Amino acid sequence: MKDFKFKGGPILIGLCSGLLALSACDRGDTPKDTIEERATARWEALLGGDLAGAYEFLSPGTRSSVSSIQYQRSILTQKVQWTGARYIKSECVESSCKVKISLDFALYGVLPGVRSYKGTKEIEESWVLVDGIWYLVP
């Protein structure tokens, strides 16, 4: 029987290494894309009255010091009512992002002689990436 020698070994190794490296690459989900989805989903939860769901968007550190009930109470006792939210943009550096949101709101009973005041305001939120998931840091 004749010994068989494969001469394309270096090419095959290079090809396999390249494919392995490509498989580890990002598949289009840049942190900026994901942060927009997470920030939008959080505001949808808040606007929809799902305070327990909105609580889950808080960073693990925040959730370790504030219970879901405490968070929900803090939201419910505010004199502001959010009526709309729109993602504007985000600026990310490594594992942190600053997210700009345009908020529509209504204030009730805070100005003498005025039943309600409606307005829009831009806010900036801080988000961190923990184990591949973006979380809000209040």
Side-chain angles (χ1 to χ4, degrees):
M1 188 172 211
K2 198 172 183 183
D3 286 336
F4 177 73
K5 289 189 176 183
F6 181 66
K7 294 183 180 182
I11 293 172
L12 183 61
I13 290 172
L15 181 61
C16 289
S17 296
L19 287 174
L20 182 62
L22 283 175
S23 70
C25 285
D26 189 15
R27 293 179 297 281
D29 289 340
T30 62
K32 198 169 190 174
D33 294 336
T34 304
I35 191 67
E36 180 177 353
E37 294 169 6
R38 293 280 291 170
T40 301
R42 176 182 171 271
W43 277 104
E44 286 173 357
L46 281 170
L47 292 170
D50 181 9
L51 301 182
Y55 175 79
E56 296 302 318
F57 287 91
L58 298 178
S59 68
T62 302
R63 285 183 280 134
S64 71
S65 62
V66 176
S67 73
S68 180
I69 297 297
Q70 289 171 321
Y71 173 73
Q72 291 178 47
R73 277 192 195 130
S74 73
I75 298 296
L76 292 172
T77 58
Q78 292 180 351
K79 293 187 183 216
V80 65
Q81 179 183 5
W82 298 298
T83 57
R86 287 170 302 289
Y87 171 88
I88 298 173
K89 69 177 184 173
S90 59
E91 295 177 12
C92 301
V93 178
E94 294 181 18
S95 62
S96 66
C97 278
K98 297 291 184 185
V99 177
K100 286 202 180 221
I101 303 286
S102 175
L103 284 180
D104 298 328
F105 64 92
L107 296 171
Y108 297 98
V110 293
L111 298 172
V114 179
R115 292 175 111 181
S116 67
Y117 172 80
K118 295 181 181 182
T120 301
K121 179 176 175 84
E122 283 186 17
I123 63 164
E124 185 175 89
E125 298 178 331
S126 297
W127 289 73
V128 294
L129 187 63
V130 178
D131 296 331
I133 300 172
W134 287 105
Y135 293 99
L136 176 71
V137 179

